[in-house]
Amino acid sequence: MRKYSLKRPIINGKRSRVWFVTWSENGRSHRRSTGETNERLAEEWRARFITAMEMPEPGATVSAICDAYLADRIEDGIADPATVGFRLMPVKAILGAYEPDALTRPQVRFYHAQRRKDVSDSTINAECRALRAALNWAHRMRWIDSVPHIEAPRPAPPRERFLSWEEFMALYDAAAPHLRTFLALALFTGQRKQAILDLTWDCIDWNRAGIFFPQTGSRKSRTPYVPCNASLALALGTAALTADCEYVVSWNGKKVTKFRSAWETCKKKAGIEDVTIHDMRRTAASFVIANGGSFADAAWLLDDTIETVQRHYIRFSETYGMSVTRRIVG
């Protein structure tokens, strides 16, 4: 969606008393006079103008609404537009051809059933909430007269799975070379999957034995530099010997974008089925806490708040538990 600003431009060398609506389209700037000198009345005029300019063709589909909503959110500078776009992608693929009025309970439940073949109810819940937000936006913009009810499955309880050192080593030994590199980075840096897959060799400081993780998106990490311990340095050094791509995690000379097949094979060979890639972050934090690290240490590693880390990982801290039980006296 285009961004419409309210301004009083300079015309013939003088600041206009009348407010104008300005916007850009196809690389060119445009403006339209509101005819108002009162800013409040000009704002009302702008709202009506935007509604008229952005009104979709009759029968706007869910796909068109999702695209316009995402464009508007990007214009507003939301923290992570990629996440919103990712959540709306399957919505557009399955429900995109429908008009909002046609989103009845059977259609929505059909969406749930289709997505359950690949993802959890928690993921489906997030996707349905993204669709709700897009439809509510369309209603505010007067694209649609009413917002259909979008039923969302109850999200599953948060996973609490973490690996023992023996389990991690079993997976590591069973992994293909590119997955082995990924697992080492995941455990010893606590970074998220995409940050690791985006990592290039020029981000590794061999002299200081550390990694500068790429800063992407509008949400900048508080932990861009992570020192390597001996185990990670060895894993990276081994991977560097056969590197054939600018990306650290690569296969056949290309960046790895997904490794579902390799991961499933690895789990079967290791005899560990109830584990996901995302469990590596929990495992990293649990090791930090269990080995005497503070909640602040784990928060630094995970790029999270101390309060969040304490809430999720307090049970791993023996020292914290001892400090509590010592206070139980008669």
Side-chain angles (χ1 to χ4, degrees):
M1 179 177 171
R2 291 162 290 199
K3 183 177 182 179
Y4 298 89
S5 301
L6 201 60
K7 297 180 179 179
R8 290 168 52 213
I10 295 176
I11 302 176
N12 296 327
K14 295 182 179 180
R15 178 74 64 184
S16 173
R17 295 178 63 248
V18 175
W19 290 93
F20 282 71
V21 174
T22 64
W23 72 98
S24 296
E25 187 174 359
N26 298 325
R28 298 183 60 184
S29 297
H30 301 269
R31 70 186 183 194
R32 183 73 60 85
S33 172
T34 67
E36 303 288 352
T37 56
N38 182 286
E39 186 175 4
R40 182 181 61 81
L41 295 177
E43 281 285 4
E44 294 176 358
W45 192 97
R46 183 178 76 109
R48 294 192 298 271
F49 180 74
I50 292 174
T51 299
M53 288 289 288
E54 298 295 335
M55 185 66 69
E57 295 294 327
T61 62
V62 168
S63 184
I65 288 173
C66 288
D67 287 340
Y69 166 71
L70 179 59
D72 186 56
R73 300 299 286 135
I74 292 173
E75 192 72 42
D76 286 345
I78 60 172
D80 194 357
T83 298
V84 178
F86 184 76
R87 288 174 178 170
L88 289 174
M89 193 180 303
V91 171
K92 291 165 56 180
I94 298 174
L95 300 176
Y98 288 98
E99 294 181 17
D101 289 344
L103 292 181
T104 59
R105 175 176 286 186
Q107 275 72 40
V108 174
R109 289 192 170 178
F110 171 76
Y111 177 82
H112 296 172
Q114 291 296 105
R115 292 296 287 150
R116 282 194 178 107
K117 297 176 182 178
D118 300 308
V119 298
S120 69
D121 276 3
S122 294
T123 300
I124 300 171
N125 178 277
E127 293 167 356
C128 288
R129 286 189 287 109
L131 174 57
R132 285 177 188 166
L135 293 171
N136 283 325
W137 172 88
H139 184 252
R140 291 195 303 273
M141 296 300 297
R142 301 180 185 177
W143 282 34
I144 56 178
D145 295 327
S146 61
V147 179
H149 174 66
I150 303 299
E151 182 181 1
R154 181 175 298 179
R159 279 181 64 86
E160 296 187 351
R161 177 74 161 98
F162 65 95
L163 299 172
S164 66
W165 181 255
E166 291 73 22
E167 287 177 316
F168 173 78
M169 288 307 302
L171 288 168
Y172 187 80
D173 291 339
H178 65 293
L179 182 56
R180 186 174 295 179
T181 303
F182 176 91
L183 291 176
L185 284 163
L187 180 68
F188 295 119
T189 70
Q191 295 293 307
R192 291 179 171 83
K193 176 183 176 181
Q194 198 56 52
I196 295 172
L197 295 182
D198 288 341
L199 186 66
T200 53
W201 285 109
D202 60 359
C203 293
I204 297 178
D205 185 344
W206 296 103
N207 293 325
R208 295 172 58 191
I211 304 172
F212 291 93
F213 279 91
Q215 300 295 282
T216 58
S218 56
R219 181 182 181 274
K220 300 301 183 183
S221 170
R222 295 185 296 274
T223 315
Y225 178 80
V226 180
C228 298
N229 62 16
S231 297
L232 180 56
L234 178 61
L236 290 175
T238 302
L241 293 175
T242 56
D244 55 0
C245 175
E246 64 176 317
Y247 290 95
V248 176
V249 181
S250 64
W251 181 253
N252 286 337
K254 296 180 180 179
K255 175 186 179 181
V256 172
T257 57
K258 55 185 178 181
F259 43 75
R260 184 171 183 173
S261 177
W263 177 237
E264 293 300 322
T265 300
C266 173
K267 291 194 296 182
K268 288 180 181 178
K269 289 177 65 176
I272 304 172
E273 294 293 331
D274 61 330
V275 62
T276 71
I277 284 294
H278 301 293
D279 292 335
M280 291 299 155
R281 273 174 61 82
R282 276 185 291 276
T283 299
S286 69
F287 283 174
V288 170
I289 300 297
N291 290 322
S294 67
F295 295 122
D297 294 335
W300 174 85
L301 183 70
L302 299 183
D303 186 19
D304 221 330
T305 65
I306 295 176
E307 292 77 12
T308 298
V309 169
Q310 184 170 341
R311 184 169 64 251
H312 290 293
Y313 300 101
I314 194 170
R315 64 185 182 280
F316 298 114
S317 175
E318 291 185 9
T319 56
Y320 187 89
M322 290 175 62
S323 69
V324 173
T325 55
R326 285 198 191 104
R327 293 178 172 84
I328 305 175
V329 294

